[in-house]
Amino acid sequence: MRTRRGRGGTPWLRSAARVGVAALTVPLVLSACGAGGRPDGDSGGAETGVTDDTITIGAHFPLTGVAAPGYSEIPTGAKAYYDYVNANGGVHGRTIEYVYRDDAYNPTNTSQVTNELVLRDEIFAMVGGLGTPTHGAVLDFLHDNEVPDLFVSSGSLLWDQPDTYPMTFGWQSDYEIEGKILGQYLAEHHSDAKIGLLLQDDDFGEDGEKGVRAYVDSQIVSAQRYAPTTNDVTPQVSALKDAGADVVVGFTVPSFTALSQLSAQRLDYDPQWVYSNVGSDSALVGSLLSRFSEGAVEDASSLEGALTTEYLSGVEDSGDPWVELWQRVWEEHGGDEPLTNYRIYGMAQAYTFVQTLQATGPEPTREGLVETLESSGGEFAGPTLSPFRYSPDSHAGVSGVRVAEIVGEGTEPLTPVLLTDNGDAEITEKESDQAPPPEDGIPDAPAGN
C-alpha cells in the first residue's frame, strides 16, 4: 500500500493543477458564489453537519487569482447539480447545502478556509477540494477531525492512502495511469519517434513521467522540467527541440500548455504534441493564448491534432446522454455563462456524492460514507467513462481513460476506454458499455457498470 507524501503536484480535467504565471498574467477575479452557511435547526441527534432537513458539505477552490480561469467554474457546476437534486426532493428528504470558499490556490489560505468550514460551518464532509499542494496542506487536519474527505479534485496518488488517511478518497484518474496509457499508445503508434517530456516539477509531472516511461523509456531523448512559479518555458522547449524530439508529452496545466505553444511558435518547432487531460481544454487554452500573446494568437488552432486523454464526455459531445443531462441541469439551475467542461467536471463529481449519500441510507454518518464507498463504490455506474477503484484497500478514483485527438474545440476518440491500475498492472479494454443516466438525472442506489 502506498503511504508516500508528495512535494507538490496538482490536478486536472480536464483536472486541476498548480498555475504559476502571475508575472505574465493579469489576475482574474471572479465572485465567490457559494451557498450560505449551515442553517439553524435541531439536528435531531444526527451527525455533525446533518439536520432533519439538510446536509452541509464544503470545499475549497481558487475563485480568484491566476488559478481561477477554468477551475473557478467547477463549483458552479457542482452547485447547479446540488440545486437540481434539491429541487427534486433532495436525498432521503434532506437538501444539500454546499459551502465553498476561495483559497486563491494558496495552501495557507486553504488551511484557513478549511478550518472555517470544519469548525464554524460544521460541514458533514469535504467534497471536491481542489489542488495537490493546497489540499495536501489540510489532509492531517481533516483526518484529525474525522471529516470525510471525498473526491479530491486532483490526480495525485496522495489520496489513495487508506491506511494513513482512511477517510480520504480520490475521484479522477490519477497521473500515473494516464501516463501509462499514453505511453502504451505512443509505443504502438510512434515506435520510431524520439520522445521529449515537458513536466511540471512536482508530483504532477513526476507521476505522469513514471507512467510514460513504463512503455517508452528507451525512446525518451530529453525530460525538461519547469517550476510552476516561472513565467517562461522557452529554455525547456528549446532543449527539447535541440534534442531532436519529434513527439513531446506535456504534463502541464492550461497556462503552461499555452506557454509551451507560444514558445514553440517562436522557435519554429512543430512536434507531435501530447498533453495530459489536465492542460488540454482547447477552449481555455485558446483564451490563455490570446491573453498571453496580447491578441497576436487568437485561438488554440496550434493544438489541432494534439493527443490527450479523457475520462468524461465533454461539452462538445452534445449527443451524449450525460452531456444532455448536464445541459438541462445548467439551463435550469446554472448562470448566464455557457456550460463548460469544468462545470461538467463539477456536476459529475456532485453526482457521485449524491450517489454515495443515496447508498448510505436515510441516517447518514461519516463512517457510513466511508463504508459505502469501500463496499459499493467500485460498482457505481455514472458519468465517468470507467469505474472507480474503491475498496477497503484502495481509495483510488477512476480506473482508466481513452486516448483522443484534439479537433477544433473538441476531441475525437482514438482508442476504446482503457483500464489499468498503478505499478505493473496491465492495460485492458473496458468491455461493458457506459450506463445511461437515470431518467430523472438523480441516482437511486449503486448499480454495476
Side-chain angles (χ1 to χ4, degrees):
M1 179 57 57
R2 284 188 304 271
T3 57
R4 75 186 184 113
R5 288 174 180 262
R7 294 172 291 144
T10 31
W12 194 270
L13 190 92
R14 296 172 190 156
S15 295
R18 179 182 306 224
V19 179
V21 291
L24 191 67
T25 63
V26 177
L28 177 62
V29 179
L30 301 179
S31 61
C33 47
R38 183 172 181 236
D40 295 331
D42 181 13
S43 68
E47 190 75 272
T48 299
V50 179
T51 73
D52 291 340
D53 304 315
T54 64
I55 294 178
T56 301
I57 61 174
H60 58 87
F61 289 93
L63 304 179
T64 59
V66 294
Y71 303 145
S72 63
E73 298 173 2
I74 297 172
T76 66
K79 185 177 186 300
Y81 185 73
Y82 292 134
D83 287 348
Y84 174 82
V85 171
N86 292 342
N88 285 276
V91 180
H92 297 301
R94 293 184 180 90
T95 57
I96 298 171
E97 299 293 330
Y98 179 47
V99 186
Y100 59 94
R101 302 197 184 283
D102 182 17
D103 66 4
Y105 215 74
N106 180 316
T108 300
N109 295 346
T110 309
S111 295
Q112 177 182 338
V113 301
T114 299
N115 185 285
E116 293 173 357
L117 289 167
V118 171
L119 301 181
R120 187 179 72 188
D121 297 301
E122 296 185 308
I123 59 172
F124 177 53
M126 176 75 79
V127 183
L130 185 143
T132 306
T134 46
H135 198 75
V138 297
L139 268 180
D140 288 327
F141 176 79
L142 293 169
H143 170 73
D144 292 345
N145 284 274
E146 300 182 335
V147 179
D149 181 18
L150 309 186
F151 315 147
V152 184
S153 297
S154 157
S156 172
L157 303 179
L158 290 170
W159 326 129
D160 180 23
Q161 301 186 74
D163 292 338
T164 306
Y165 298 108
M167 303 187 95
T168 296
F169 291 78
W171 186 77
Q172 65 196 61
S173 56
D174 67 60
Y175 307 134
E176 182 186 346
I177 70 167
E178 182 187 17
K180 286 175 62 177
I181 290 169
L182 283 173
Q184 177 185 257
Y185 184 88
L186 292 176
E188 293 176 349
H189 298 275
H190 297 270
S191 58
D192 296 327
K194 295 180 179 179
I195 297 174
L197 305 179
L198 180 62
L199 306 167
Q200 187 158 292
D201 193 13
D202 55 22
D203 280 9
F204 176 34
E206 179 183 316
D207 294 345
E209 178 182 14
K210 179 181 180 182
V212 172
R213 284 190 181 274
Y215 287 87
V216 293
D217 188 52
S218 64
Q219 293 178 244
I220 295 174
V221 295
S222 179
Q224 296 295 314
R225 307 173 198 282
Y226 67 86
T229 52
T230 189
N231 59 16
D232 184 17
V233 292
T234 301
Q236 289 86 349
V237 175
S238 180
L240 293 168
K241 180 181 179 181
D242 291 344
D246 40 35
V247 172
V248 174
V249 182
F251 277 81
T252 56
V253 299
S255 292
F256 285 93
T257 299
L259 289 172
S260 65
Q261 290 295 301
L262 290 176
S263 295
Q265 290 174 34
R266 287 194 295 267
L267 295 167
D268 193 25
Y269 180 40
D270 187 26
Q272 169 65 62
W273 291 99
V274 183
Y275 285 108
S276 164
N277 58 54
V278 169
S280 64
D281 188 282
S282 55
L284 177 57
V285 171
S287 68
L288 292 169
L289 281 166
S290 177
R291 193 164 91 196
F292 293 171
S293 69
E294 297 182 343
V297 177
E298 296 181 353
D299 54 34
S301 58
S302 63
L303 286 182
E304 189 80 14
L307 305 180
T308 188
T309 67
E310 52 196 11
Y311 53 87
L312 290 170
S313 295
V315 68
E316 69 279 359
D317 302 316
S318 57
D320 183 278
W322 286 98
V323 177
E324 291 175 349
L325 170 62
W326 307 140
Q327 189 66 59
R328 184 169 83 246
V329 169
W330 187 250
E331 288 173 356
E332 293 179 10
H333 297 281
D336 296 330
E337 297 295 320
L339 181 66
T340 66
N341 287 327
Y342 295 94
R343 292 185 170 113
I344 285 177
Y345 178 97
M347 291 183 188
Q349 207 173 53
Y351 184 96
T352 307
F353 179 69
V354 170
Q355 196 167 25
T356 306
L357 273 184
Q358 294 278 31
T360 300
E363 299 300 330
T365 65
R366 287 171 163 178
E367 288 186 359
L369 284 182
V370 173
E371 291 172 0
T372 294
L373 286 170
E374 289 187 339
S375 64
S376 304
E379 301 300 318
F380 282 1
T384 60
L385 297 176
S386 56
F388 299 107
R389 290 171 279 170
Y390 301 142
S391 75
D393 298 321
S394 173
H395 289 188
V398 173
S399 56
V401 297
R402 65 188 176 199
V403 180
E405 179 181 7
I406 295 175
V407 178
E409 290 195 351
T411 60
E412 291 185 0
L414 298 176
T415 70
V417 177
L418 301 172
L419 309 179
T420 190
D421 205 342
N422 305 106
D424 58 3
E426 66 176 332
I427 297 173
T428 61
E429 290 187 15
K430 185 186 177 191
E431 296 180 356
S432 59
D433 294 331
Q434 184 182 21
E439 186 173 344
D440 64 359
I442 301 173
D444 294 322
N449 279 280

